[in-house]
């Protein structure tokens, strides 16, 4: 018994203990190791040192005693693919590196992430005349630069910042002596791990190796986007027009770009340049999204314009006084800010648009996809409120563990395990009536544990990625309003815009989508030059595309619906003059927008009078 000993073997899968004796041969010992780790012969190598030196060969003549292996020693195992002499030092971060997909195909982060990774991020302070006792070139605790994650600094901003930026959070993780060598941003999983062969599959069996851990919900300390900014008021006003005219709610996708938000250290801003409204059914108190066959094409066109889908927006507006133009203030601390159903929808969208991250073994972590609600504010005017849901909520939604409550929109409900699905326990911490912190089972669950608020703003100086004309092209999927995208509306749009600058006329997001997706003459294969012109604001490129056969065909189609080619020439479609419209031209019905021939007093479509 005195000769028996325990040897520890560290591998990328963890540490295991092997029982052996001092007189045992190295070959017999390696067979035990292979059996314990599930390797075949020669499928691995064991070393005495971390730097892969002192390899133990399978010799029958050398015992562990001769190799000077003692009780409690740690040896280091490497699979055959990673075995062999190397100058690398094995540490616990190797476990992350071997499973990280970036080791084979590096993760390509967003441009804004790559830019912020190179920034210093320090918060510089001026010399305090009262507290600083040193010269102008010295530094002390009162004026030394602060780290971007300094909570005291963030809390004293106006207004206070509750959530540090995601890149500040990364700096906090990687700012120690190890410089983030051991950092790995793990995504939460609520599913049973596959490949466990020691027992029958669920529901007949489960073990600690494959069972997902219980989740205790915490308020997330960071956020992936720190500010949402609409480029101008026109974008939001056109979206709200649908509710103003019908009283029904509306949903849309936000297209824009991510830029640096300089008000918060290492912050990210989502800038909104356009809103795309997908097919939907809206009522006064509900919204239903329909299948959108054009969704992929819209994303492709936006990408060629230098834009991407950055979030979604929906209205929750109830008119309070039509004479004053006020709306009801319904979302507040006494009710809810986001309902459980809206949190689940936001989590679904965020899972569809993951954030690429080099520190995650999966290659992605969290999401930059934002949620904006147009609702009544404390002053009974329309306010835009921005939110995201936490990474914990994304995991619960992805693995189908969270449900809304029917009668309480502010409460969610963690599902219970069934024979079809195992659900880990979900808890949250609360304060009881005695002031003690208690742990509650998330059945039900207050959704404020899942929400991260984001400031939503409009710039003092409006920015216009697209046309600034007062006569804009109709928005897609608004047939219920009588606003249709067809060649009648295109002819009207061209005749009402007298600008001689073709780029100004054509720079309309909804018009570009119509040119690509219309069924009569889709231009998906021949519009790249025009999209480049709009993206770079190059009038010469736009004029080059204007001379193409495709635009000539578009003009001909417009002339067939009533607007004569000469009129299109006069109003800038072919670069003519900018004089006033002729009184003998076709007129658009103010009730249904149908284009009627000149000289008629009633609309041929809806039979309503012209005035």
């Amino acid at each position: 018994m005195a000769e028996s000993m325990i040897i520890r073997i560290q591998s990328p899968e963890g540490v295991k203990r092997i029982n052996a004796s001092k007189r045992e041969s190295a070959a017999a010992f390696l067979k035990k190791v292979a059996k314990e780790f599930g390797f075949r012969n020669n499928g691995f190598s064991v070393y005495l040192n971390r730097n892969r030196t002192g390899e133990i060969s399978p010799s029958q003549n050398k015992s562990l005693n001769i190799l000077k292996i003692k009780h409690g020693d740690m040896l280091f195992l490497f699979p055959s693919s990673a075995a062999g002499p190397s100058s690398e030092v094995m540490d616990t971060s190797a476990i992350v590196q071997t499973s990280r997909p970036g080791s084979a195909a590096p993760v390509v982060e967003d441009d804004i992430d790559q830019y912020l990774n190179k920034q210093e991020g320090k918060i510089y302070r001026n010399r305090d005349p009262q507290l600083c006792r040193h010269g102008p070139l010295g530094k002390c605790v009162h004026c030394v630069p602060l780290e971007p994650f300094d909570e005291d600094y963030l809390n004293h901003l106006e207004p206070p910042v509750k959530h540090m930026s995601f890149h500040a959070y990364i700096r906090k993780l990687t700012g120690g002596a190890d410089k983030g060598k051991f950092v790995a941003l793990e995504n939460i999983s609520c599913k049973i791990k596959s490949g466990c062969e020691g027992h029958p599959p669920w529901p007949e069996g489960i073990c600690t190796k494959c069972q997902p851990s219980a989740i205790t919900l915490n308020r997330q300390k960071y956020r992936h986007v720190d500010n949402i900014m609409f480029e101008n008021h026109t974008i939001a006003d056109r979206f709200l027009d649908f509710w103003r005219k019908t009283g029904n709610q509306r949903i849309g996708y936000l297209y824009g770009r991510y830029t640096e938000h300089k008000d918060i250290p290492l912050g990210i801003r989502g800038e909104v340049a356009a809103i795309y409204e997908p097919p939907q059914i809206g009522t006064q108190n509900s919204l239903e999204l329909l299948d959108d066959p054009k969704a992929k094409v819209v994303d492709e066109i936006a990408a060629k314009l230098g834009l991407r889908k950055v979030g979604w927006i929906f209205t929750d507006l109830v008119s309070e006084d039509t004479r004053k133009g006020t709306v009801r203030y319904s979302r507040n601390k006494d009710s809810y800010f986001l309902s459980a159903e809206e949190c689940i929808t936001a989590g679904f969208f965020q899972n569809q648009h993951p954030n690429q991250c080099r520190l995650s073994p999966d290659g992605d972590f969290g999401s930059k996809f934002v949620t904006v609600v147009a609702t009544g504010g404390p002053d009974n005017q329309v306010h835009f409120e921005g939110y995201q849901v936490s990474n914990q909520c994304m995991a619960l939604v992805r693995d189908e563990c969270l449900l809304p409550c029917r009668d309480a929109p502010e409460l969610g409900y963690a599902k219970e395990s069934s024979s079809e699905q195992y659900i880990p326990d979900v808890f949250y911490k609360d304060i009881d009536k005695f002031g003690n912190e208690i742990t509650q089972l998330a059945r039900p669950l207050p959704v404020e544990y899942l929400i991260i608020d984001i400031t939503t703003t409009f710039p003092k100086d409006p920015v216009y990625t697209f046309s600034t004309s007062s006569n804009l092209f109709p928005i897609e999927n608004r047939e219920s309003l009588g606003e249709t995208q067809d060649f009648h509306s295109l002819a009207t749009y061209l005749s009402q815009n007298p600008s001689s600058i073709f780029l100004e006329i054509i720079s309309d997001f909804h018009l570009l989508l119509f040119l690509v997706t219309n069924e009569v003459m889709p231009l998906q294969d021949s519009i790249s030059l025009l999209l480049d012109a709009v993206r770079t604001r190059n009038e010469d490129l736009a004029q080059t595309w204007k001379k193409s056969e495709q635009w000539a065909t578009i003009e001909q189609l417009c002339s067939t619906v009533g607007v004569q080619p000469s009129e299109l020439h006069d109003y800038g479609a072919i670069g003519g003059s900018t004089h006033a419209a002729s009184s003998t031209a076709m007129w658009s019905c103010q009730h249904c927008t149908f284009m009627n021939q000149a000289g008629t007093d009633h609309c041929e479509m809806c039979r309503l009078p012209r005035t």
Side-chain angles (χ1 to χ4, degrees):
M1 294 298 293
E3 295 179 351
S4 63
M5 55 184 180
I6 296 177
I7 308 299
R8 295 174 297 162
I9 308 293
Q10 185 181 47
S11 74
E13 297 180 356
V15 178
K16 295 186 179 182
R17 292 171 173 82
I18 308 294
N19 290 315
S21 62
K22 291 183 179 181
R23 297 181 179 179
E24 189 171 314
S25 66
F29 174 72
L30 292 177
K31 286 183 179 180
K32 289 184 178 180
V33 174
K35 183 178 180 181
E36 183 68 23
F37 283 90
F39 283 104
R40 296 180 178 179
N41 292 334
N42 301 325
F44 64 96
S45 297
V46 178
Y47 301 88
L48 296 174
N49 304 311
R50 289 179 182 270
N51 59 358
R52 302 185 187 181
T53 58
E55 182 178 358
I56 301 176
S57 59
S59 173
Q60 295 286 353
N61 300 324
K62 292 184 179 180
S63 65
L64 299 184
N65 190 29
I66 296 175
L67 295 173
K68 298 183 179 180
I69 298 176
K70 302 183 295 297
H71 174 70
D73 282 355
M74 179 176 286
L75 307 179
F76 303 93
L77 180 147
F78 291 88
S80 57
S81 59
S86 173
S87 59
E88 274 187 58
V89 177
M90 180 181 179
D91 51 37
T92 54
S93 67
I95 301 173
V96 177
Q97 295 294 336
T98 54
S99 61
R100 184 174 297 179
S103 57
V107 176
V108 180
E109 295 183 327
D110 294 338
D111 293 340
I112 182 62
D113 293 320
Q114 296 181 33
Y115 171 77
L116 292 177
N117 285 336
K118 300 174 183 177
Q119 303 305 305
E120 184 182 16
K122 297 280 188 178
I123 304 168
Y124 286 92
R125 299 182 292 174
N126 295 325
R127 182 177 180 273
D128 194 310
Q130 295 181 346
L131 299 177
C132 295
R133 304 298 183 186
H134 51 76
L137 300 180
K139 291 291 182 182
C140 68
V141 294
H142 304 293
C143 61
V144 69
L146 301 175
E147 296 291 345
F149 49 83
D150 189 280
E151 294 185 6
D152 187 61
Y153 170 82
L154 297 176
N155 290 332
H156 283 83
L157 290 176
E158 187 60 39
V161 177
K162 296 185 294 183
H163 307 278
M164 70 179 76
S165 66
F166 179 61
H167 280 269
Y169 176 70
I170 291 179
R171 297 294 172 89
K172 186 175 182 179
L173 295 179
T174 59
D178 58 1
K179 300 300 181 183
K181 187 191 305 182
F182 305 99
V183 173
L185 298 176
E186 299 281 354
N187 289 302
I188 301 171
S189 176
C190 303
K191 293 183 177 180
I192 296 177
K193 295 179 182 179
S194 60
C196 193
E197 301 177 354
H199 54 79
W202 175 265
E204 281 75 21
I206 193 171
C207 68
T208 55
K209 292 182 180 180
C210 60
Q211 180 182 8
S213 302
I215 299 174
T216 300
L217 298 177
N218 299 307
R219 289 184 174 88
Q220 193 164 290
K221 295 183 178 180
Y222 60 89
R223 55 189 177 188
H224 291 272
V225 176
D226 304 280
N227 178 258
I228 306 167
M229 187 185 76
F230 289 84
E231 286 189 346
N232 53 75
H233 285 275
T234 305
I235 300 171
D237 286 339
R238 294 194 72 193
F239 177 72
L240 293 177
D241 276 344
F242 186 90
W243 173 80
R244 294 189 180 111
K245 294 177 181 178
T246 65
N248 295 334
Q249 309 304 333
R250 197 67 173 166
I251 191 173
Y253 292 125
L254 307 175
Y255 281 87
R257 59 187 70 85
Y258 295 112
T259 60
E260 182 183 10
H261 182 47
K262 297 183 179 180
D263 294 343
I264 296 177
L266 299 177
I268 293 178
R269 166 183 285 163
E271 293 185 0
V272 180
I275 299 178
Y276 169 73
E277 300 179 12
Q280 58 193 281
I281 298 175
T283 66
Q284 293 184 357
N285 54 15
S286 67
L287 282 167
E288 179 185 356
L289 277 175
L290 305 177
D291 290 336
D292 186 6
K294 301 177 181 178
K296 184 177 179 181
V297 177
V298 174
D299 288 342
E300 292 175 355
I301 298 304
K304 293 180 179 179
L305 290 170
L307 306 176
R308 59 185 293 182
K309 193 183 292 183
V310 298
W312 68 301
I313 182 173
F314 65 93
T315 61
D316 181 20
L317 296 166
V318 178
S319 179
E320 187 174 61
D321 191 332
T322 54
R323 293 173 299 177
K324 296 181 180 179
T326 57
V327 293
R328 186 178 301 169
Y329 177 42
S330 58
R331 292 175 181 254
N332 49 57
K333 63 179 182 179
D334 297 323
S335 56
Y336 59 90
F337 296 101
L338 279 184
S339 69
E341 190 170 10
E342 292 159 359
C343 287
I344 293 172
T345 306
F348 171 77
F349 284 137
Q350 288 181 207
N351 282 313
Q352 283 188 326
H353 302 85
N355 175 53
Q356 300 301 310
C357 181
R358 58 188 170 83
L359 294 179
S360 172
D362 301 323
D364 57 75
F365 186 76
S367 173
K368 294 191 188 78
F369 202 81
V370 299
T371 299
V372 179
V373 187
T375 185
D379 56 355
N380 298 111
Q381 299 298 319
V382 177
H383 284 230
F384 292 88
E385 307 293 342
Y387 301 98
Q388 277 192 308
V389 295
S390 65
N391 292 5
Q392 290 179 324
C393 180
M394 290 176 59
L396 293 175
V397 173
R398 182 189 64 242
D399 296 333
E400 300 179 355
C401 300
L402 188 62
L403 296 173
C405 290
R406 178 180 298 177
D407 301 324
E410 72 277 8
L411 297 177
Y413 192 88
K415 290 170 61 177
E416 300 182 29
S417 297
S418 64
S419 57
E420 291 81 18
Q421 182 184 11
Y422 175 82
I423 305 294
D425 290 331
V426 182
F427 302 97
Y428 68 94
K429 292 184 179 180
D430 200 1
I431 305 297
D432 63 11
K433 61 181 180 179
F434 302 107
N436 300 318
E437 186 178 74
I438 57 175
T439 300
Q440 299 271 32
L441 188 62
R443 299 188 183 115
L445 162 69
V447 295
E448 58 260 27
Y449 284 86
L450 310 175
I451 298 174
I452 303 165
D453 61 305
I454 304 173
T455 55
T456 305
T457 57
F458 291 85
K460 293 181 179 179
D461 300 320
V463 180
Y464 294 90
T465 298
F466 297 104
S467 175
T468 59
S469 171
S470 57
N471 300 309
L472 298 171
F473 191 72
I475 297 176
E476 59 283 335
N477 300 311
R478 285 195 174 185
E479 289 79 5
S480 59
L481 271 181
E483 299 179 8
T484 57
Q485 286 189 344
D486 53 24
F487 285 95
H488 284 288
S489 56
L490 177 57
T492 304
Y493 171 78
L494 295 175
S495 64
Q496 290 177 347
N497 285 279
S499 175
S500 59
I501 303 177
F502 179 71
L503 182 62
E504 181 68 22
I505 296 173
I506 209 68
S507 294
D508 186 294
F509 183 70
H510 306 285
L511 170 58
L512 294 172
L513 292 182
F514 170 72
L515 294 177
V516 173
T517 60
N518 73 87
E519 297 179 354
V520 178
M521 186 182 174
L523 303 179
Q524 186 171 358
D525 299 330
S526 56
I527 203 172
S528 296
L529 182 63
L530 178 61
L531 297 179
D532 288 340
V534 174
R535 179 175 55 85
T536 59
R537 299 187 180 183
N538 190 323
E539 173 66 19
D540 294 336
L541 280 180
Q543 290 292 338
T544 302
W545 187 86
K546 177 183 169 185
K547 298 174 183 178
S548 65
E549 296 181 1
Q550 288 79 12
W551 182 246
T553 307
I554 293 292
E555 288 181 324
Q556 186 63 33
L557 289 172
C558 290
S559 66
T560 60
V561 298
V563 178
Q564 298 302 318
S566 60
E567 295 172 356
L568 292 179
H569 284 235
D570 291 341
Y571 291 96
I574 307 184
S577 63
T578 60
H579 57 266
S582 172
S583 60
T584 61
M586 296 179 64
W587 59 275
S588 174
C589 176
Q590 61 181 351
H591 305 287
C592 69
T593 72
F594 182 76
M595 298 297 299
N596 295 274
Q597 297 291 338
T600 57
D601 295 328
H602 290 75
C603 176
E604 297 178 9
M605 179 62 67
C606 64
R607 301 300 180 186
L608 292 176
R610 180 173 181 176
T611 57

